[in-house]
Amino acid sequence: SLIENGHPTPFIAQLVEARPLIGEIICLRIRKQPSSIFVDVLSVVLGQIGRKQPNKLVDTARTLLETDTIQIARCISHAFGWNRGHQNKVLDGEIELLQELSSHEDEIVRSGVIRAADQINELDHVKAVELFTGIPFNDSPKVAEDFLSSFFGNHGFISIQELTQDQEKSILEQLRVCPSIEEYHITKFISEMSKNKPDVVVELLQERIKRSEKIDREQYKPLPYSWNNQLQVRDSSEFKKILKDILDWISKYFKSWQRRYYGADLFKSVAAGFDKNVVSVLEELIETKESKELEAVEIVLGEAPRTFVFENVEFVCKILHIAQEIGADCLKDIGSALHKSASSGIRSGTAGQPFGEDIEQQDQSLKIADKLPIGSVEREFYRSLYRSAEESIRWHAERDEVNSD
């Protein structure tokens, strides 16, 4: 075949440039036989037709689309995007053709239209934006990534501020149902929007979590595994209120594991740390002494950093006392969440030596426990952290000894 025996595209490009009729013959052959080997070079052929006979390009593409084959649609999309050449005007019927391709079921075809819109922008910004914002990406993280990269890429041609209310609404609705929002430019878009519209972004992410309650985990991932671009809500005057609302939202439907698991992740992502401002929000909630509020706090405490229990002793004492007042089960759950946070993160060290994190936990917890009232629930908690670190050190020492044998 042409592909197996080398790279025919430079030759075909020069041939069609010198003899445009050959390009027309190739297109006719493909139309009659959509499985023809010439489909491999169709994008280049159409690109050269666009350069030498631009008045024929749109009509030629339309006749080829009648074959109703995905590979040919991909070639046409690629031709109007990456192989558009040095067109100095928008061709008659070009926007209409691309608008039809923009709703194609194939994500590669739609990605080609995004590139075409980028090219057309240099000639007609209004038409380019109209074409661009009409491209659906709700079913494809790849198209969503290509789409949103147009806001922040090196050649980004539209800003978030340019979006009309309807365009913004459409983008957010598509992001709500998109199978994943993990990619770099998707998180960049969400991060940028969170600066000025934090409530809109939080609502979007909550809607994704609610949607995940009805969809298989393999088909739909509500939140990124890790944020390539962190949310920027901390500077908002509504920061504390937003955190409280998230906790309230978690507590209202606590039976849903998605609400608990992803809700805690959402709180952590919005909080961007567990400093005194975040701790003050948690304190306000636990002081209500309502079991539902404590359950929500318990969930997010599991996401706190490893050093949280050592840097916020007063808070830990307070929540343990309140939990003890409510009952043994509540105390057990709160204690488990605090233990989880103290054990979070990666342990690292030298082979044959205890982990530095375990040594720190052992030293810090013992130092704090010795200052607390004998017999108190908080003293017992920090003593339990000491014992946990001691056990971890012993276990790793025994394992290393076995492995060395």
Side-chain angles (χ1 to χ4, degrees), residues 313-329:
V313 176
E314 185 178 342
F315 170 81
V316 171
C317 293
K318 181 181 291 187
I319 194 171
L320 288 172
H321 274 282
I322 291 174
Q324 188 177 42
E325 288 180 34
I326 293 176
D329 288 342

Side-chain angles (χ1 to χ4, degrees), residues 47-62:
Q48 290 300 86
I49 290 175
R51 291 183 63 185
K52 304 298 290 186
Q53 300 171 294
N55 60 315
K56 292 186 176 182
L57 179 59
V58 173
D59 288 340
T60 301
R62 284 200 173 279

Side-chain angles (χ1 to χ4, degrees), residues 23-39 42 45-46 59-69 72 76:
E24 296 180 42
I25 293 171
I26 290 174
C27 289
L28 181 61
R29 173 72 176 272
I30 292 172
R31 184 184 177 190
K32 291 181 177 179
Q33 187 181 352
S35 61
S36 168
I37 189 64
F38 286 106
V39 172
L42 177 57
V45 170
L46 290 173
D59 288 340
T60 301
R62 284 200 173 279
T63 59
L64 288 165
L65 278 177
E66 292 174 4
T67 61
D68 197 26
T69 58
I72 289 175
I76 293 171

